[in-house]
């Protein structure tokens, strides 16, 4: 019989002094490999309970226990012909000798074999919780915990009327949500369903460090959008855009518009987060309130009526808009800039 191609890898995976991740298709012998590793571990411990095998389903746990007991039963018989079968037989034979020497009687007491599902293992830990933890009655696993999440969220919100820890935080978030109590409750329910992602961080939050991390992420996002918008604008049009921006900004004295930040602008803005106000000024210059490129110009856009220079600047701006209108995606890119977040959180927003 030809040797198994991955025999050396299988042999290493049985070594209890190392840890392994085993990846293989169905029917390739993963379960037998686990049985061999379990048997080898049984040959090193004083009590079988020192070994724990965790599976996802009760069916898998039952199959593994049955396979272990079959291996121990088979070790009382003849040596198998296959190489992997001989290894299982040899390991099981050593376990039987140790079983006799230490008085385990595994074949009569299969419950000594620690093979459990994740749920049953967690439940066994909870059952050992001390009385002073006030956990209550014997716990049960909920197949659909949403009702429990909703009850927990309801009790948190109830503190607004009854007082208790966290009341200021609850009030702050409710104010942010315009007192939409049901929305906050559903948000808490959604968070509880994903608590494995955030619960471990609560005890070691460094607010200033995380603020810097999140603001850096905001900056990276903003810069990505600015670079994409800048790439869609031909370099040849930049001088004319700057001239029109300065002219329009100078004619909006006293108005509260993003366009005002372009007054006196001599260099084309970069694509850093700090350059966002300049790009919002350009969007204000070129777009209407609904986010489309301007078709008409008036004093509200920085182009007052008149003869001479005003008329000339208005014609130049119209010609520039026509050239920009032929650039695919530019209108949408400029409109999207208006929805970008600020690169830093105001203190009040950071508290939320």
């Amino acid at each position: 019989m030809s040797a198994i191609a991955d025999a050396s890898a299988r042999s290493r995976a049985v070594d209890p002094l190392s840890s392994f991740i085993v990846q293989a298709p169905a029917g390739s012998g993963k379960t037998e490999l686990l049985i061999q590793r379990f048997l080898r571990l049984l040959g090193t411990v004083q009590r079988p309970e020192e070994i724990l095998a965790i599976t996802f389903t009760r069916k898998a746990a039952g199959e593994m226990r049955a396979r272990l007991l079959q291996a121990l039963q088979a070790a009382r018989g003849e040596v198998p012909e296959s190489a992997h079968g001989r290894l299982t037989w040899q390991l099981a034979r050593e376990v039987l000798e140790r079983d006799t020497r230490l008085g385990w009687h595994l074949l009569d007491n299969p419950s000594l074999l620690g093979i459990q599902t994740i749920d049953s293992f967690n439940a066994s830990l909870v059952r050992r919780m001390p009385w002073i933890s006030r956990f209550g009655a014997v716990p049960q696993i909920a197949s659909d915990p949403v009702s429990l999440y909703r009850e927990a969220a309801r009790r948190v919100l109830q503190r607004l009327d009854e007082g208790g820890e966290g009341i200021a935080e609850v009030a702050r978030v409710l104010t942010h949500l315009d007192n939409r109590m049901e929305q906050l409750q559903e948000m808490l329910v959604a968070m509880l369903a994903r608590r494995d992602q955030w619960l471990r961080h609560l005890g070691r939050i460094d607010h200033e460090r995380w603020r810097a991390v999140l603001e850096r992420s905001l900056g990276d996002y903003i810069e990505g959008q600015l670079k994409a918008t800048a790439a869609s604008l031909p370099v040849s049009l930049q001088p004319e855009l700057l001239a029109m921006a300065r002219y329009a900004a100078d004619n909006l004295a006293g108005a509260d518009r993003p366009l005002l930040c372009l007054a006196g602008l001599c260099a084309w803005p970069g694509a850093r987060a700090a350059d966002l106000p300049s790009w919002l000024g350009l969007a204000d210059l070129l777009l209407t309130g609904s986010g489309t490129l301007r078709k008409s110009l008036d004093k509200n856009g920085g182009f007052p009526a008149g003869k001479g220079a005003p008329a000339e600047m208005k014609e130049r701006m119209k010609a520039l808009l026509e050239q920009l209108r032929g650039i695919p995606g530019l209108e949408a890119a400029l409109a999207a800039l208006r929805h970008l977040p600020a690169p830093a959180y105001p203190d009040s927003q950071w508290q939320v």
Side-chain angles (χ1 to χ4, degrees):
M1 181 180 295
S2 60
I4 298 177
D6 58 353
S8 60
R10 291 171 183 261
S11 178
R12 291 198 305 273
V14 178
D15 181 5
L17 298 180
S18 302
S19 299
F20 299 91
I21 295 176
V22 178
Q23 293 178 298
S28 58
K30 294 191 298 295
T31 302
E32 182 159 16
L33 194 61
L34 288 171
I35 298 302
Q36 291 173 350
R37 189 173 173 89
F38 202 110
L39 289 170
R40 178 153 288 180
L41 286 167
L42 281 172
T44 64
V45 299
Q46 293 299 311
R47 295 181 298 121
E49 298 95 319
E50 295 176 36
I51 306 170
L52 174 65
I54 297 180
T55 70
F56 282 100
T57 65
R58 287 193 293 267
K59 180 181 178 181
E63 179 186 355
M64 190 170 178
R65 179 175 286 104
R67 293 278 294 272
L68 273 169
L69 294 174
Q70 289 172 11
L72 293 174
Q73 290 279 11
R76 292 175 169 176
E78 298 295 324
V79 182
E81 293 183 4
S82 64
H84 62 279
R86 283 198 303 273
L87 177 59
T88 302
W89 184 92
Q90 181 182 346
L91 292 172
R93 189 81 172 185
E94 293 171 2
V95 171
L96 286 179
E97 292 173 1
R98 193 171 184 82
D99 178 271
T100 301
R101 188 164 61 254
L102 299 179
W104 294 342
H105 306 293
L106 286 176
L107 290 172
D108 297 323
N109 299 287
S111 60
L112 296 177
L113 298 171
I115 306 172
Q116 297 177 267
T117 63
I118 297 173
D119 288 342
S120 64
F121 174 65
N122 289 336
S124 69
L125 291 179
V126 173
R127 285 194 294 270
R128 296 188 179 99
M129 291 179 69
W131 181 83
I132 58 174
S133 68
R134 301 184 182 277
F135 192 78
V138 177
Q140 294 180 335
I141 297 171
S143 57
D144 183 11
V146 174
S147 61
L148 300 178
Y149 298 157
R150 189 161 281 115
E151 174 63 18
R154 187 190 64 78
R155 291 184 182 183
V156 169
L157 299 181
Q158 200 171 19
R159 294 178 183 177
L160 286 171
D161 297 325
E162 301 176 356
E165 186 179 1
I167 185 172
E169 288 79 5
V170 172
R172 182 180 295 121
V173 178
L174 265 179
T175 300
H176 174 67
L177 297 175
D178 295 329
N179 288 322
R180 293 193 289 269
M181 189 84 74
E182 289 186 3
Q183 181 178 352
L184 177 53
Q185 178 172 311
E186 292 307 310
M187 290 170 68
L188 291 172
V189 169
M191 282 186 65
L192 285 171
R194 297 191 298 269
R195 63 192 181 280
D196 60 303
Q197 300 175 18
W198 54 262
L199 193 59
R200 62 185 179 273
H201 299 297
L202 286 188
R204 46 192 175 90
I205 289 180
D206 180 342
H207 284 277
E208 289 308 310
R209 184 172 71 86
W210 279 108
R211 184 172 184 172
V213 169
L214 292 173
E215 288 181 347
R216 190 159 57 246
S217 297
L218 287 175
D220 290 344
Y221 177 71
I222 291 169
E223 289 178 9
Q225 297 296 309
L226 293 183
K227 287 177 182 177
T229 305
S232 64
L233 276 166
V235 176
S236 59
L237 296 181
Q238 291 178 7
E240 185 71 350
L241 259 173
L242 285 175
M244 294 300 102
R246 289 193 298 267
Y247 175 82
D250 289 341
N251 284 298
L252 284 178
D256 184 16
R257 294 273 296 278
L259 179 56
L260 281 178
C261 72
L262 301 182
L265 186 67
C266 297
W268 187 252
R272 299 169 302 165
D275 297 313
L276 179 59
S278 296
W279 283 96
L280 291 176
L282 288 173
D284 191 21
L285 169 71
L286 300 172
L287 300 181
T288 64
S290 60
T292 59
L293 284 168
R294 296 185 184 277
K295 294 182 178 179
S296 60
L297 300 171
D298 55 29
K299 63 178 182 179
N300 293 326
F303 291 88
K307 297 181 179 180
E312 178 190 348
M313 298 301 284
K314 190 177 280 191
E315 289 304 315
R316 285 172 61 183
M317 184 62 184
K318 288 181 178 179
L320 178 61
L321 286 168
E322 282 304 313
Q323 293 181 74
L324 295 176
R325 216 178 304 279
I327 300 175
L330 176 62
E331 186 177 77
L334 288 170
L337 297 182
R338 291 174 167 175
H339 301 289
L340 288 176
Y345 294 104
D347 288 341
S348 59
Q349 187 179 15
W350 177 250
Q351 289 300 318
V352 174

